[in-house]
Amino acid sequence: MKIRVNRDVLADAVAWAARVLPSRPVVPVLSGLLLEAGDELTLSAFDYDVSARAAVDADVAEEGRVLIPGRLLAEISRSLPDDDVEIVTDGQEAVLTCGSAEFGLITMPVEDFPTLPAMPPVVGAVGGGVFASAVGQVAPAASRDDTLPMLTGIRIDIEGESVAMAATDRYRIAARDFTWRPAAPDVAVSAMVPAKVLVEVAKSLRGGEVAVAMGDGVAGFESVGRSTTVRLLDEQFIDYRSRLTSDWSIRADVAVAPFVGAIKRVALVAERNTAIRLSFSQGQVLIQAGGGDVGRGAETVPCELRGDDIQIAFQSQFLLDGLTGIETELARINLESPTRPALIQDVPGDAQPAFRYLVMSLRQS
């Protein structure tokens, strides 16, 4: 194989594919990046659960395939001088030259590298910004506890032009609805995608339209020459929609930015896992924390309250995760009692709220 490629193009493609390299590969070849030169240069990585593939333009003098240690290639490619990069295979070496810099990397047996899963059928497409926003809103509610795989995923329900995403860790539920361009008007599919993978995909594909593919226990995401496949989790998930609907007797509308700022300031004196206390009354909400060995803090923020005054407490980071997911100027906090969960939602004028976040309240000491 003999190719020449732009330094920045190579570094970006290597960084994209190297995201999925396992830290402890079950077999050595899984630590490698597969480079294939044909009509274009393709870089691939695979750990049996997640695959990543990036295709870039390159001057291909000789077609071929080579498997190179991935993390080392990533470190080298991002530190090269500003010049074109030439990669030539020579026996057991891949010789990488850029300007006066030259590296001879020992290759790995390409025939041992597993075949990447095929991209399943495309079911629809959505703008990368919308996709990244939706994933970013629901992902904080996904659990990090791998002993309960169902809770580590993001549920995706697709029905025609409507897409719903949801995640829960048992203490909160985050849900986001949006519209997209389905591949067929009657498409209907549901899947549980690992949240960690979906977050990485959403961040890196936000620049263009994202095509979503699903089938045979695999989900795929593709945009502007980048593609990822991931093995799906078990489809079992809670009936989250019924938990987001209730006849809320109390409603408070508050400007998001000053509310978030006040909570962050007051939380500085909150000891680990202690509550942020909110006291809603006509015209304002009082935010309080502390009172132990560290000290105490309090701040008031204007709000519009409908219903009775109420005092309620939350874990501060859980509360902030919900509020930072709000993309409208105002957030609506729906309440029933100090011992019941609260529903935080956006306030998009006359439209239905797109983002909803149910969070458990804490017992006040």
Side-chain angles (χ1 to χ4, degrees):
M1 186 181 82
K2 183 176 182 180
I3 62 167
R4 180 175 290 272
V5 61
N6 177 274
R7 192 265 325 249
D8 293 337
V9 169
L10 177 67
D12 287 346
V14 169
W16 158 261
R19 298 172 305 109
V20 307
L21 291 172
S23 56
R24 296 178 180 176
V26 293
V27 290
V29 292
L30 296 184
S31 66
L33 280 180
L34 178 64
L35 278 63
E36 299 175 282
D39 294 334
E40 57 189 357
L41 175 64
T42 302
L43 301 92
S44 305
F46 187 36
D47 70 354
Y48 290 123
D49 288 321
V50 185
S51 76
R53 183 186 288 112
V56 298
D57 291 330
D59 293 330
V60 179
E62 293 181 20
E63 298 184 358
R65 306 167 77 224
V66 64
L67 188 63
I68 300 175
R71 296 190 188 280
L72 180 57
L73 181 60
E75 292 179 5
I76 291 173
S77 61
R78 65 171 172 257
S79 62
L80 290 172
D82 187 11
D83 204 342
D84 285 348
V85 180
E86 184 179 75
I87 301 176
V88 180
T89 54
D90 182 11
Q92 299 300 310
E93 269 194 345
V95 180
L96 185 152
T97 306
C98 182
S100 62
E102 179 180 295
F103 297 88
L105 305 179
I106 303 300
T107 62
M108 308 168 78
V110 69
E111 63 274 8
D112 293 344
F113 193 75
T115 302
L116 272 66
M119 184 67 68
V122 172
V123 293
V126 64
V130 173
F131 184 73
S133 171
V135 172
Q137 287 173 306
V138 302
S143 175
R144 278 72 169 170
D145 184 0
D146 291 331
T147 62
L148 293 170
M150 178 194 76
L151 301 181
T152 64
I154 293 177
R155 172 78 173 193
I156 303 178
D157 293 303
I158 298 168
E159 189 169 348
E161 295 182 350
S162 300
V163 180
M165 288 184 176
T168 182
D169 61 3
R170 294 178 296 180
Y171 304 105
R172 60 256 179 88
I173 301 171
R176 166 70 191 269
D177 299 326
F178 59 89
T179 58
W180 76 337
R181 184 168 52 84
D186 59 348
V187 63
V189 63
S190 297
M192 285 290 296
V193 182
K196 184 167 66 173
V197 175
L198 203 54
V199 167
E200 287 295 324
V201 170
K203 286 179 180 177
S204 54
L205 296 184
R206 65 185 309 148
E209 186 174 73
V210 178
V212 180
M214 290 187 185
D216 297 326
V218 173
F221 306 91
E222 188 170 13
S223 179
V224 292
R226 308 284 194 265
S227 62
T228 290
T229 64
V230 57
R231 189 189 304 274
L232 297 176
L233 302 171
D234 193 305
E235 284 191 22
Q236 183 182 4
F237 198 64
I238 63 170
D239 178 17
Y240 70 91
R241 291 183 179 86
S242 64
R243 307 183 189 201
L244 300 178
T245 57
S246 180
D247 294 326
W248 308 98
S249 59
I250 303 170
R251 188 179 82 190
D253 288 354
V254 59
V256 174
F259 193 32
V260 167
I263 292 170
K264 288 181 176 179
R265 285 188 290 273
V266 173
L268 295 174
V269 296
E271 296 177 349
R272 184 177 178 83
N273 296 324
T274 58
I276 286 282
R277 302 183 299 276
L278 304 180
S279 300
F280 292 93
S281 58
Q282 297 300 321
Q284 70 175 31
V285 53
L286 171 63
I287 304 143
Q288 297 174 288
D293 296 337
V294 175
R296 60 182 178 83
E299 188 169 345
T300 58
V301 173
C303 80
E304 180 182 329
L305 181 69
R306 296 186 183 181
D308 297 333
D309 294 359
I310 186 173
Q311 292 184 343
I312 191 168
F314 300 99
Q315 202 271 0
S316 60
Q317 190 56 54
F318 285 4
L319 182 61
L320 288 169
D321 285 343
L323 290 169
T324 52
I326 299 293
E327 296 182 339
T328 54
E329 182 179 353
L330 296 177
R332 178 162 295 162
I333 305 173
N334 300 282
L335 305 155
E336 291 183 21
S337 77
T339 58
R340 298 287 296 168
L343 179 70
I344 301 171
Q345 65 185 61
D346 50 14
V347 187
D350 295 333
Q352 290 294 316
F355 175 63
R356 292 161 294 164
Y357 182 90
L358 188 75
V359 56
M360 297 289 293
S361 61
L362 296 179
R363 181 175 297 179
Q364 301 182 61
S365 57

